[in-house]
Amino acid sequence: MMTDQFKIVIVGSGPGGMSAAARAAELGLSHLLLEAAPHLASTIHHFQKGKTVMAEPAVLPLRSAISFGPGSREAILDTWRDELAEYSVNLRLNAAVAAIAGHAGDFQITLLTGECIRAEFVVLAIGIQGNIRKLAVPGEDLPGVQYQLDDPDEFNNETIVVVGGGDAGVENALALSRQNRVILVNRQDEFSNCKEANYEQLMTAVSRGKIEIRVNTLTERVEAYSGGTFKLSYMAQTPEGHEQIDCHRVIARLGAKPPRQLVESFGVHFPNSDSGAVPQLSEQYESNVPGLYIVGALAGYPLIKQAMNQGYEVIEYIQGNPVEPADELLLRMKFACVPDIHSVTEGIALLRANQPLLAPLTTLQLREFMLESTVQVPKRGELIFNRNDYSNSFFSILEGRIAIQTEAPDGEAAVFSLGKGEFFGEMGLLSGRRRSGSATASEDCILVETSRRSMLKLLYSASGVQRKLDEVSLKRVVRSCLDTMLPESELEYLVHDAQSRRYAVGDELFHEGDQADGLYMIRRGSVTVSRQVAGKEIVLAYISAGNYVGEMALVSNMPRSATVRAASPTEVIMLEALRVTEVLSRNTSMRRKVDSRFLEHVRSDEYSLSSESSGLINFLMEEGVGEATDVLLIDYARCIRCNNCETACADVHDGTSRLDREAGATYAQIHVPTSCRHCEHPHCMKDCPPDAIHRSVNGEVFISDNCIGCGNCQDNCPYGVIQMAVKQDYQKRTIWQIILGTQPAKATQVTSGELLKKAVKCDMCKDILGGPVCVRACPTGAALRVSPEAFLGYVK
Amino acid sequence: MNNMQGSSLLKYKNYRYLKVSAGMMVLSIVVYLFNEPVGGHPFGGTWLGYTLGVVSTLILLGLMWYGVAKRSITGTPDWSMIAEHEGMAGSHQRPAHGKSSVNKGLRGSGMLQEWLSGHIYLGISLLVLATLHTGFHLGWNVHTLAYVLMMLVIFSGFYGLNAYLNYPRLITLNMGEDTLDDLLLKIAELDELATARALDLSDEVNVLVMESCQETRVGGNLLQQLSGTQRDCPTRFAVQHLMTLGGHYIRDDQRKMLRDLYSLLLRKEKLVLRARTEIMLKARLECWLYLHAPLGIALFSALAAHIISIFFYW
């Protein structure tokens, strides 16, 4: 079989790949752009119809042979298609890559069809969406067989076979069943992969004969049906034998294959098994396989503009042109405030030399790190952050000294001094809670402040950093939880073989009646303490990060008196029992503190046992209040259902209410409405491409204006409190309009082409004097905003 | 829970407005008794009468402003917040989120709650103040009209207060986590199932079920809403008569179907009852406002006429 030979083969026709191919074409290099899908830029192609695509970050200049600016999905895709044609880019659609072998100068790229292509260099720009799984049977590509459902209302009076028992399949089947005959095929015995709510709806639909299901059924083939009204014949193997279903359409929702496995099969290393990990790359985007370059989302750069810049740069690098990266100017501006630093290279070198924590990073990673960091040069005596602030950034000290003033829960103050090469702020970062101390510059300093997001990204992708951070932070956690005045030598002894342990929600740290194995410092998350009373589990208390549990058994030298369970994803440091008792016997001040804590717990447990709070704590934990920092509760015994909370919320937030009073669970007159809880580790922040979700100093999690409307946060929020809303031209009523009962004149509606949906959620009215209006607008005092640690903690 | 109970409407800020209102009432009664002129009661025309009239009018205007405050959360200044803010200007931008309020576990003082608490107690004080202002001179004139309207407004307010204090709890007890739409949806589902099941049974059964599906009413006019029942409710009728139908001649499989149908109708009856109770409680919670607010406006007009007319006595 003849094989083609190219200088550069680019895999993936997203923004990165396309930009690389266009640059290669512009330079007249022999190249080939491969795309698995039958169209360009699959991820963007599958955006919702008419969606506005944004060009963040606005400050980053675009450097690419093809153009890009904010606009509708259709306009952008059209432009790209035209421009690729203009450059005569050598593009092959429907060409999925199965394997890449060989080395720089001679790569063999094997397509799924078995065809082999040779290339000197390979640029991998396949993104992170993965390839949509197909049926993998004869007929999988027949017209009428589809792997996507954009608008279920498009079809009616059809017979449709939906394949796939996951959420996507079940949701599609439910939506289609309104006006079609639907047969849902699941290869498994049960629908265990779909959400409870979907499963229930499915079962209702099945019991009412709206949907037929086939379980334990494998697709054999799909054939075009000749004659009759049906277009397709779907053949499957059921437990009862072969079955033929004549239908109009087959919709298969089999999920996507994450690209990591494929990429690893090319020989590319990932630093760890974390799902957020990105492969390690050189400054020139070259992977550990020489000649194999990686750009775009797969390399950890999720934004379109970044990917396009990298596509351009990677071709230059392959050509041996040392182009200045597009972010050079931005980085230079960051270092501008440091007097002795004149170039980015010098700045990066200083960072590498003076912060051992960052030593394992490549220059590319350091540049990326700096792009999302700021350099600060506080003068002596300047405040960096305050105790109880809600900031969660991370600080590295490049020059100077910093004084940290902490205050233990019992009010005892202590001061620590940190110098060059050390770091601070990691406790807030890891716990997601308020700062446990204040930081002040005790000399003129050079600091690098890094955002939570890029720090977490770093921890996921560079395991060396995580290890180094852990070593230092372990002692700090023990100190802050137990006794700030504990001598260094005792601390060393305590943490000698301390273990860091992680628990999922509901996991037990220890069980009532167990022998005491040690003292548990809660570093992140929260736990509930419960006891068996008359065969029933009674929840006694909720304890949050920054505290410890397990001292009762240690102090009293008895088995565990209660069971402790994680209420949210929790990380603890376990100090060994023997070491703790030894240190306690030597340190009277610590002994006194632990003893008083013990007495407090005994008293509070007795109180909780005699009150009826247990069921309520349980209920609130089930509602996810355990991971909240501030939650809106409504006392339904007092709520007159006037919805003034919603009205007021809409009134101060451009006409869209960010809370749904009626939705949500209720227990014993306590109602948890659908409203943001400002989680310790906000799920919404997890995957925000423009990094638009932040936590303010006072703790409010809010979405800033650079939201690109992708909807990831809406999908990621387990509490359904984020909505996508069109920004309206909302006019408040004036006092006279209220008195006279008239409405303001309707503002002119924006034309549909410019409708821009952005994510909106509760920001706790952070910019409004007086605090959350939902609470202030409640005439009967039924609406309350509470922080669970104060609300559910040990009764003082 | 240690902190769940914020303060209720009546206890707000340790009965601040009860104290203010009680103080005013006692003071005005005492002054009135000491000022009784020879040969008759004091009335609007004396200095005391004018004072009481002016104070009552000011209070009334304040009470009416509640309607505006409720609709304009940010437009109406929250005086306590502003004072606090100015006192702390520079150090903290947002006193509401400082340490102290965090430690209490509760945030954001209820601004509107303060308005409502004041509204209730000061409204009650008008009962005494306005009555003394009349000097018990009542007649068929605009002055007495204003007084009567005021009393009507206040007594409708008493009903409202009672409703606000009692019905919310009953609403939750009745509905739990369901909304009215949930119930109606479930009822519609049961109707569908019952209709399908009845097809295999006798015509009499079908008629019963059909009437239950088509004639059962939830809600209706104001009186029906307030009563929370439907006269001759066809669903109840169906439940009562279903099992007596068919008699001995039905087959065993039909008997089973009949029993299934019976349980469906029982479930429906329960849901219908809950939906009606919900509507009833909501109606009872809100109905008084349709008197309280318009009467308040009428009072305002009568009061204006009263004030203008007294200038002619001069």
Side-chain angles (χ1 to χ4, degrees):
Chain A
M1 187 181 211
M2 245 252 329
T3 53
D4 292 324
Q5 172 88 41
F6 297 95
K7 173 154 187 186
I8 305 172
V9 165
I10 300 141
V11 186
S13 73
M18 218 178 322
S19 173
R23 181 62 183 159
E26 200 177 28
L27 295 175
L29 304 174
S30 89
H31 69 279
L32 174 65
L33 176 59
L34 296 173
E35 170 58 53
H39 41 70
L40 281 174
S42 200
T43 302
I44 297 170
H45 186 91
H46 286 139
F47 280 177
Q48 195 188 322
K49 231 180 239 172
K51 175 178 159 42
T52 308
V53 180
M54 315 271 261
E56 291 290 328
V59 284
L60 187 69
L62 176 73
R63 186 160 58 184
S64 174
I66 46 179
S67 52
F68 172 59
S72 77
R73 156 190 170 273
E74 288 76 11
I76 287 173
L77 288 174
D78 285 350
T79 314
W80 283 345
R81 199 178 45 236
D82 295 348
E83 291 187 358
L84 285 192
E86 235 170 78
Y87 285 113
S88 322
V89 164
N90 187 13
L91 168 68
R92 264 177 74 179
L93 298 174
N94 295 312
V97 170
I100 298 177
H103 50 84
D106 185 24
F107 281 108
Q108 296 97 47
I109 300 139
T110 313
L111 302 186
L112 267 189
T113 54
E115 189 183 345
C116 184
I117 298 166
R118 282 175 184 278
E120 289 172 44
F121 300 96
V122 175
V123 176
L124 214 51
I126 58 176
I128 49 171
Q129 297 285 326
N131 288 333
I132 286 178
R133 264 188 242 268
K134 292 194 173 182
L135 282 170
V137 295
E140 60 173 13
D141 286 326
L142 281 175
V145 179
Q146 58 191 70
Y147 299 93
Q148 183 95 13
L149 177 64
D150 293 326
D151 179 11
D153 296 333
E154 214 177 302
F155 311 114
N156 55 57
N157 294 325
E158 290 194 357
T159 300
I160 300 175
V161 176
V162 177
V163 188
D167 281 313
V170 173
E171 278 167 22
N172 282 179
L174 285 167
L176 288 166
S177 70
R178 284 196 295 266
Q179 30 189 348
N180 300 284
R181 176 181 172 225
V182 176
I183 300 114
L184 179 63
V185 176
N186 186 2
R187 59 185 299 174
Q188 288 172 336
D189 198 9
E190 285 171 43
F191 290 85
S192 51
N193 286 338
C194 78
K195 283 187 217 138
E196 195 64 30
N198 279 337
Y199 178 74
E200 272 170 29
Q201 280 189 48
L202 176 66
M203 287 302 119
T204 317
V206 169
S207 72
R208 292 151 129 227
K210 302 264 185 195
I211 295 181
E212 300 162 46
I213 51 175
R214 304 280 189 282
V215 291
N216 276 329
T217 298
L218 295 174
T219 307
E220 286 182 323
R221 62 183 190 279
V222 186
E223 287 172 5
Y225 194 80
S226 43
T229 52
F230 297 112
K231 298 197 185 78
L232 296 170
S233 255
Y234 171 85
M235 322 280 187
Q237 190 185 353
T238 68
E240 285 87 41
H242 296 281
E243 185 180 355
Q244 171 175 351
I245 304 170
D246 295 333
C247 59
H248 296 88
R249 201 168 296 283
V250 175
I251 298 178
R253 300 308 305 268
L254 308 167
K257 226 176 175 171
R260 175 162 174 165
Q261 222 181 344
L262 180 71
V263 175
E264 279 179 329
S265 76
F266 304 158
V268 175
H269 291 318
F270 283 72
N272 57 45
S273 62
D274 195 283
S275 63
V278 295
Q280 275 191 353
L281 301 176
S282 79
E283 221 170 316
Q284 270 92 40
Y285 311 118
E286 194 168 7
S287 70
N288 61 301
V289 179
L292 180 68
Y293 293 77
I294 299 179
V295 296
L298 181 62
Y301 302 86
L303 294 171
I304 296 176
K305 215 197 276 181
Q306 288 174 325
M308 291 179 73
N309 285 348
Q310 292 177 347
Y312 178 96
E313 287 160 15
V314 80
I315 297 299
E316 295 296 324
Y317 292 144
I318 289 174
Q319 284 296 88
N321 300 336
V323 286
E324 202 174 61
D327 56 19
E328 183 76 10
L329 189 68
L330 287 175
L331 287 177
R332 202 174 297 149
M333 273 154 56
K334 300 224 179 214
F335 284 111
C337 59
V338 190
D340 302 332
I341 301 285
H342 303 294
S343 71
V344 176
T345 322
E346 274 176 55
I348 298 283
L350 179 77
L351 192 62
R352 194 193 287 283
N354 288 8
Q355 183 48 270
L357 185 68
L358 302 175
L361 298 188
T362 64
T363 306
L364 192 66
Q365 281 172 314
L366 279 175
R367 289 183 78 101
E368 171 72 4
F369 176 81
M370 273 314 297
L371 213 52
E372 291 187 47
S373 304
T374 52
V375 182
Q376 293 184 6
V377 282
K379 296 269 168 271
R380 192 180 159 191
E382 215 171 287
L383 183 74
I384 317 290
F385 57 71
N386 243 322
R387 192 172 107 82
N388 280 332
D389 273 1
Y390 239 126
S391 53
N392 44 24
S393 51
F394 176 89
F395 292 85
S396 311
I397 310 176
L398 300 191
E399 295 288 351
R401 292 201 79 77
I402 292 288
I404 310 276
Q405 286 154 291
T406 64
E407 205 179 294
D410 55 14
E412 193 177 43
V415 180
F416 305 99
S417 181
L418 301 174
K420 182 168 127 180
E422 295 192 273
F423 56 84
F424 59 99
E426 85 289 349
M427 294 227 287
L429 175 80
L430 292 174
S431 72
R433 305 183 80 84
R434 290 166 190 279
R435 294 287 192 198
S436 57
S438 307
T440 319
S442 44
E443 290 172 12
D444 292 358
C445 292
I446 303 178
L447 304 178
V448 173
E449 179 180 4
T450 311
S451 70
R452 171 184 187 270
R453 175 167 103 142
S454 52
M455 203 57 210
L456 291 181
K457 196 158 109 187
L458 187 66
L459 293 178
Y460 289 144
S461 47
S463 48
V465 178
Q466 169 96 60
R467 207 169 42 245
K468 283 194 178 217
L469 186 86
D470 261 354
E471 278 167 23
V472 179
S473 67
L474 200 72
K475 277 193 236 166
R476 292 188 185 167
V477 171
V478 174
R479 213 189 258 284
S480 80
C481 285
L482 262 184
D483 182 3
T484 46
M485 302 309 283
L486 200 65
E488 188 67 26
S489 58
E490 296 284 38
L491 198 58
E492 285 282 351
Y493 182 74
L494 262 183
V495 304
H496 183 69
D497 41 21
Q499 299 167 23
S500 176
R501 296 185 183 172
R502 281 162 187 263
Y503 300 90
V505 178
D507 284 358
E508 279 181 10
L509 278 66
F510 51 77
H511 194 86
E512 189 175 345
D514 283 357
Q515 277 308 310
D517 52 351
L519 197 59
Y520 291 72
M521 319 271 129
I522 306 169
R523 181 189 210 175
R524 171 195 167 137
S526 50
V527 298
T528 55
V529 180
S530 59
R531 202 184 280 174
Q532 287 283 330
V533 178
K536 247 180 76 184
E537 189 166 348
I538 303 284
V539 179
L540 301 173
Y542 159 90
I543 298 179
S544 57
N547 291 294
Y548 56 85
V549 285
E551 87 290 351
M552 296 189 78
L554 282 183
V555 170
S556 61
N557 206 9
M558 305 252 281
R560 296 287 188 199
S561 62
T563 301
V564 172
R565 261 178 230 284
S568 52
T570 297
E571 198 181 324
V572 302
I573 292 165
M574 209 261 307
L575 303 180
E576 220 225 329
L578 270 177
R579 285 179 189 267
V580 176
T581 37
E582 250 178 75
V583 171
L584 277 179
S585 66
R586 286 199 294 259
N587 291 274
T588 46
S589 104
M590 180 171 152
R591 169 101 218 169
R592 213 170 38 241
K593 275 177 204 157
V594 174
D595 274 350
S596 74
R597 171 95 187 184
F598 165 77
L599 288 176
E600 205 178 273
H601 283 187
V602 172
R603 211 169 36 239
S604 143
D605 285 356
E606 288 313 312
Y607 176 88
S608 301
L609 280 173
S610 60
S611 73
E612 285 163 13
S613 59
S614 171
L616 184 58
I617 299 185
N618 244 344
F619 161 72
L620 291 175
M621 290 304 125
E622 271 163 30
E623 289 305 308
V625 174
E627 61 171 332
T629 64
D630 191 298
V631 60
L632 178 65
L633 299 180
I634 296 181
D635 180 354
Y636 256 7
R638 242 185 250 165
C639 170
I640 53 167
R641 275 73 166 176
C642 64
N643 282 346
N644 214 32
C645 44
E646 279 184 27
T647 315
C649 181
D651 197 39
V652 296
H653 290 121
D654 297 329
T656 308
S657 172
R658 288 144 186 224
L659 81 100
D660 186 341
R661 200 266 305 156
E662 207 171 17
T666 310
Y667 173 86
Q669 303 282 349
I670 298 297
H671 179 65
V672 186
T674 300
S675 165
C676 180
R677 298 110 194 273
H678 305 271
C679 301
E680 286 172 351
H681 295 278
H683 302 273
C684 52
M685 280 190 194
K686 233 177 265 169
D687 188 13
C688 175
D691 195 15
I693 306 180
H694 305 280
R695 164 160 255 148
S696 80
V697 172
N698 290 313
E700 305 93 346
V701 176
F702 64 97
I703 303 177
S704 60
D705 277 343
N706 61 335
C707 167
I708 58 172
C710 66
N712 283 358
C713 51
Q714 190 185 26
D715 295 341
N716 283 336
C717 174
Y719 307 111
V721 306
I722 301 183
Q723 7 164 358
M724 308 303 295
V726 177
K727 196 172 161 78
Q728 300 173 6
D729 204 358
Y730 180 76
Q731 272 183 311
K732 260 192 222 176
R733 290 206 286 174
T734 62
I735 293 286
W736 281 110
Q737 281 166 337
I738 291 171
I739 292 174
L740 298 173
T742 56
Q743 295 292 339
K746 258 262 183 286
T748 46
Q749 271 294 324
V750 227
T751 53
S752 62
E754 295 164 51
L755 282 184
L756 219 167
K757 277 198 173 174
K758 288 194 173 195
V760 294
K761 66 177 277 300
C762 163
D763 60 359
M764 271 208 283
C765 298
K766 68 185 184 67
D767 300 322
I768 296 166
L769 178 64
V773 295
C774 47
V775 174
R776 288 195 293 146
C778 178
T780 57
L784 305 169
R785 279 215 159 260
V786 298
S787 59
E789 72 225 76
F791 173 56
L792 300 170
Y794 271 114
V795 186
K796 292 263 158 76
Chain B
M1 293 322 305
N2 43 350
N3 275 320
M4 193 62 226
Q5 311 304 328
S7 52
S8 78
L9 272 181
L10 297 180
K11 291 183 201 150
Y12 190 75
K13 292 208 171 152
N14 202 15
Y15 298 101
R16 173 188 286 184
Y17 293 96
L18 171 62
K19 290 171 188 164
V20 172
S21 153
M24 281 199 301
M25 287 193 278
V26 170
L27 183 73
S28 51
I29 291 173
V30 169
V31 175
Y32 183 90
L33 291 175
F34 278 96
N35 263 281
E36 198 170 13
V38 189
H41 301 296
F43 62 101
T46 65
W47 69 267
L48 178 59
Y50 277 119
T51 312
L52 285 171
V54 169
V55 171
S56 302
T57 308
L58 290 178
I59 289 178
L60 186 82
L61 290 177
L63 298 184
M64 294 195 72
W65 194 256
Y66 172 77
V68 176
K70 188 182 159 196
R71 287 164 182 80
S72 143
I73 296 311
T74 47
T76 307
D78 179 1
W79 303 113
S80 58
M81 279 304 308
I82 287 175
E84 226 178 300
H85 179 72
E86 279 168 358
M88 298 179 71
S91 59
H92 269 287
Q93 267 206 316
R94 308 245 343 260
H97 287 249
K99 280 182 256 175
S100 56
S101 54
V102 173
N103 292 341
K104 275 187 281 176
L106 296 179
R107 301 260 174 96
S109 61
M111 179 201 77
L112 200 62
Q113 195 189 359
E114 176 147 20
W115 273 94
L116 184 54
S117 183
H119 184 92
I120 292 166
Y121 283 118
L122 294 179
I124 293 172
S125 77
L126 284 183
L127 214 52
V128 171
L129 266 60
T131 306
L132 294 180
H133 172 69
T134 64
F136 307 97
H137 293 267
L138 300 173
W140 296 102
N141 50 40
V142 70
H143 317 296
T144 305
L145 173 66
Y147 176 74
V148 170
L149 284 173
M150 179 180 279
M151 293 304 123
L152 288 176
V153 173
I154 294 173
F155 283 105
S156 66
F158 276 127
Y159 171 88
L161 177 61
N162 177 57
Y164 276 15
L165 292 180
N166 293 311
Y167 288 128
R169 218 175 51 80
L170 299 179
I171 291 177
T172 324
L173 285 181
N174 178 50
M175 293 300 273
E177 288 181 9
D178 295 325
T179 65
L180 185 59
D181 284 344
D182 292 343
L183 295 191
L184 297 180
L185 210 67
K186 280 186 200 160
I187 291 173
E189 259 171 43
L190 286 176
D191 276 349
E192 216 176 293
L193 289 174
T195 315
R197 187 49 43 97
L199 285 179
D200 296 333
L201 292 160
S202 71
D203 286 355
E204 293 155 293
V205 172
N206 268 294
V207 169
L208 271 186
V209 170
M210 208 162 67
E211 276 183 355
S212 159
C213 291
Q214 291 173 355
E215 307 293 330
T216 304
R217 296 270 172 274
V218 171
N221 63 33
L222 182 66
L223 285 178
Q224 285 167 337
Q225 287 191 28
L226 287 172
S227 74
T229 54
Q230 180 185 3
R231 193 179 298 175
D232 306 325
C233 168
T235 301
R236 219 175 106 211
F237 186 81
V239 168
Q240 283 168 348
H241 293 84
L242 186 68
M243 292 315 276
T244 61
L245 286 181
H248 320 289
Y249 353 50
I250 57 171
R251 300 191 308 265
D252 273 358
D253 60 328
Q254 281 182 327
R255 197 177 296 281
K256 185 184 170 300
M257 276 190 247
L258 204 59
R259 238 177 268 135
D260 284 352
L261 186 59
Y262 183 67
S263 80
L264 288 178
L265 286 173
L266 265 185
R267 260 156 61 199
K268 181 182 167 189
E269 191 193 15
K270 221 165 149 190
L271 288 173
V272 168
L273 187 68
R274 276 178 66 202
R276 285 194 186 126
T277 310
E278 162 79 0
I279 288 174
M280 175 189 78
L281 291 172
K282 285 261 178 77
R284 291 185 181 182
L285 187 65
E286 284 165 15
C287 62
W288 65 283
L289 276 172
Y290 292 96
L291 278 180
H292 193 73
L295 283 177
I297 307 249
L299 161 62
F300 183 77
S301 317
L303 187 70
H306 161 68
I307 291 171
I308 292 166
S309 68
I310 55 166
F311 285 111
F312 293 102
Y313 289 114
W314 274 344

